[in-house]
Amino acid sequence: GAGVSQTPSNKVTEKGKYVELRCDPISGHTALYWYRQSLGQGPEFLIYFQGTGAADDSGLPNDRFFAVRPEGSVSTLKIQRTERGDSAVYLCASSSGQGPGYTFGSGTRLTVV
Amino acid sequence: GNSVTQMEGPVTLSEEAFLTINCTYTATGYPSLFWYVQYPGEGLQLLLKATKADDKGSNKGFEATYRKETTSFHLEKGSVQVSDSAVYFCALSDSGGSNYKLTFGKGTLLTVNP
């Protein structure tokens, strides 16, 4: 596609539920990134994929968070047993190679009630 | 660890006013520096960047100079327009093998009135 697409744009879930957030990167981009932006803060790095593998998952806050990219294109961020503190905008970005000149999607706003 | 501190907003200006948004950083090594902009309802867009000391990044009338001696990367524009209203984020990337990882400031909301 023309840009990075994230779905859904908004998600409201109850505390304790499981959620999946989807990212469709720019076609041909091998690198994919997830960031989390809490209210009033800048985005914070979560995980970086190069192809199908997670090259750096050091930003995932705990083992309730997991991300996959099985075919090296679409990625899914999975959050188990959601907590109210997980409420944030989750941003996805992609690039054609390693390096920070990447293109961000519009994000998924997750609200845990 | 790395950190970015940028001027707190909100900043409100009249059209054609001069803009400065201050940004300072703390980092090891030789990071690259960036300004991203987020227009209402849109994703983050790269506005400009500089990869080494004394480099000047520029785009759409905005400029910022990488000042290693003051660890700063202040954003400036000589004459703002209503369409510049957005949130501006200063960021740096790690140096070396983890240069893909960005550290952002908290963002500065700019509102330009006609």
Side-chain angles (χ1 to χ4, degrees), chain A residues 38-106:
Chain A
S38 301
L39 192 63
Q41 304 295 317
E44 295 178 315
F45 172 82
L46 295 178
I47 187 168
Y48 157 54
F49 286 90
Q50 185 59 250
T52 59
D56 182 350
D57 64 359
S58 62
L60 294 177
N62 52 59
D63 62 5
R64 295 187 297 105
F65 288 74
F66 190 70
V68 296
R69 195 184 185 202
E71 297 179 357
S73 178
V74 170
S75 176
T76 305
L77 178 66
K78 307 181 181 193
I79 311 174
Q80 298 177 322
R81 304 183 304 280
T82 50
E83 300 177 357
R84 293 196 177 88
D86 299 335
S87 296
V89 176
Y90 290 82
L91 298 169
C92 179
S94 70
S95 66
S96 57
Q98 179 174 315
Y102 27 83
T103 303
F104 282 88
S106 299

Side-chain angles (χ1 to χ4, degrees), chain B residues 44-55:
Chain B
L44 282 165
Q45 301 176 22
L46 178 63
L47 180 60
L48 54 83
K49 68 178 182 181
T51 57
K52 62 184 187 296
D54 299 324
D55 267 3

Side-chain angles (χ1 to χ4, degrees), chain B residues 55-72:
Chain B
D55 267 3
K56 178 186 285 188
S58 61
N59 186 25
K60 300 182 181 180
F62 290 90
E63 293 184 339
T65 301
Y66 188 164
R67 300 287 189 202
K68 191 168 175 60
E69 65 275 14
T70 54
T71 62
S72 66

Side-chain angles (χ1 to χ4, degrees), chain A residues 33 35 37 40-45 48 55-56 58-59 91 98-107, chain B residues 32 34 36 38 41-46 49 89 93 96-107:
Chain A
Y33 315 82
Y35 282 74
Q37 186 175 10
Q41 304 295 317
E44 295 178 315
F45 172 82
Y48 157 54
D56 182 350
S58 62
L91 298 169
Q98 179 174 315
Y102 27 83
T103 303
F104 282 88
S106 299
Chain B
S32 294
F34 306 84
Y36 278 82
Q38 187 170 33
E42 299 184 16
L44 282 165
Q45 301 176 22
L46 178 63
K49 68 178 182 181
F89 292 91
S93 68
S98 57
N99 65 343
Y100 51 82
K101 188 183 297 186
L102 286 171
T103 300
F104 286 86
K106 292 185 177 183

